[in-house]
Each structure stands twice: as C-alpha cells, then as structure tokens.
Amino acid sequence: MKYISESDLKKQFWKGYGYRKGIIAYQFECQSRHGAVDLLTVERVPDDKGFHIEIVGFEFKLNDIDKAFAQAAYNCEFCHKSFVVVPADKKKLILDRYSSYFKRYPHIGCIAVAHPDDGGKWDMFHKCRPVPDEKLQVNQTILKLCTKTI
C-alpha cells in the first residue's frame, strides 16, 4: 500500500515515535523557519554525564526528495539533528540516488515508515551525527517551545 498524503505519513510515524519517554516537548508545523518544520521535538538524551538536550527536526515527504533534503539542511542551523521521513517504498531510491548527500550533510538522517497495512513500523535507515551545541543558532520559537515544558 502507498501513502496518499503527508498527513497520513506523519500520523503513522508519530504513533510509533511519539511514545518515547525522552521527548519533553514537540510541535507539528513549528514556525521556527519560513515554511515551518513539519515536526520539531525537544528530546532528553542520556550520555556519560547524565543527559543532554537535543532539538530534532523532521521533514515528511511523499515525493520531492530534493526539497526534503534542502529543508532538512536548513533545519540544521537550529536543530542538532534533522531527518527526512519518507514512505518505506522510497528507501531504496534514497539509498541509490541520494547517498552522496549523506557525506555532504552528516547531520541529516533518513527514516522510512511502512504503510499501516504493511505493519506501520518506522526504520531509521540512515543515522546522523548531532550538530555541536556551539554551532546552533538560537531560535525564539524553539526557546518558547522549551519553556512550555518547565
């Protein structure tokens, strides 16, 4: 089965991802940039000092993968990690056609989401490295989202 709308892709992804205990804040259509980030999460990530906070952006696309990568790259200005989220049937296309992007943009990862009729699970098929804290731009919209959790 194929997804008909990005909205359905978002809903299915969130069913599997949104339960994570480390998510301390999130917003769909976050206005942290012109055009909005499809989903932005603020996550508590364990590390050797206890934990650190990561801001993660997600761009959902059924087609126009070039645009998804462009948006994800822009999100890296204020997000530690940025993911392109696509239907599972696009995974091979991305691995074949866009593998050079992974070298140029190490802070962009890719997630494939199966259609609910095919199990609906998500798979992070390309992991990414976080942008160092000192390289991130401060963003008022994200700061406001973070303060809602306190």
Side-chain angles (χ1 to χ4, degrees):
M1 245 341 172
K2 290 193 174 209
Y3 285 98
I4 295 174
S5 72
E6 285 179 14
S7 175
D8 291 340
L9 179 63
K10 279 185 211 178
K11 287 177 190 172
Q12 186 59 40
F13 172 72
W14 191 245
K15 279 183 189 176
Y17 190 86
Y19 72 90
R20 296 162 51 117
K21 292 178 185 172
I23 298 172
I24 55 177
Y26 69 93
Q27 184 175 14
F28 286 94
E29 298 304 322
C30 182
Q31 298 296 318
S32 54
R33 66 165 169 78
H34 177 73
V37 178
D38 289 340
L39 171 62
L40 190 126
T41 62
V42 179
E43 303 186 21
R44 183 181 169 133
V45 180
D47 66 14
D48 56 345
K49 297 175 186 169
F51 74 94
H52 66 275
I53 300 295
E54 284 186 357
I55 298 164
V56 184
F58 299 87
E59 294 297 335
F60 297 84
K61 287 289 182 273
L62 298 182
N63 298 307
D64 205 350
I65 306 302
D66 287 323
K67 182 177 180 182
F69 273 97
Q71 290 171 317
Y74 185 64
N75 294 348
C76 288
E77 292 182 17
F78 50 85
C79 291
H80 290 92
K81 295 178 182 175
S82 189
F83 288 94
V84 172
V85 183
V86 296
D89 65 317
K90 300 287 184 188
K91 178 179 174 178
K92 184 175 177 358
L93 168 87
I94 290 175
L95 289 172
D96 292 346
R97 196 177 298 170
Y98 295 91
S99 61
S100 64
Y101 281 44
F102 301 140
K103 292 175 186 151
R104 278 189 289 176
Y105 305 106
H107 310 298
I108 298 175
C110 289
I111 297 172
V113 182
H115 190 275
D117 291 349
D118 299 323
K121 302 241 186 244
W122 62 274
D123 170 35
M124 187 182 303
F125 65 92
H126 179 74
K127 294 183 179 185
C128 57
R129 294 191 324 257
V131 175
D133 291 338
E134 62 275 7
K135 301 246 182 189
L136 294 180
Q137 293 180 9
V138 174
N139 184 297
Q140 271 301 308
T141 302
I142 296 171
L143 291 173
K144 288 176 184 176
L145 177 62
C146 291
T147 60
K148 288 180 185 176
T149 64
I150 296 174

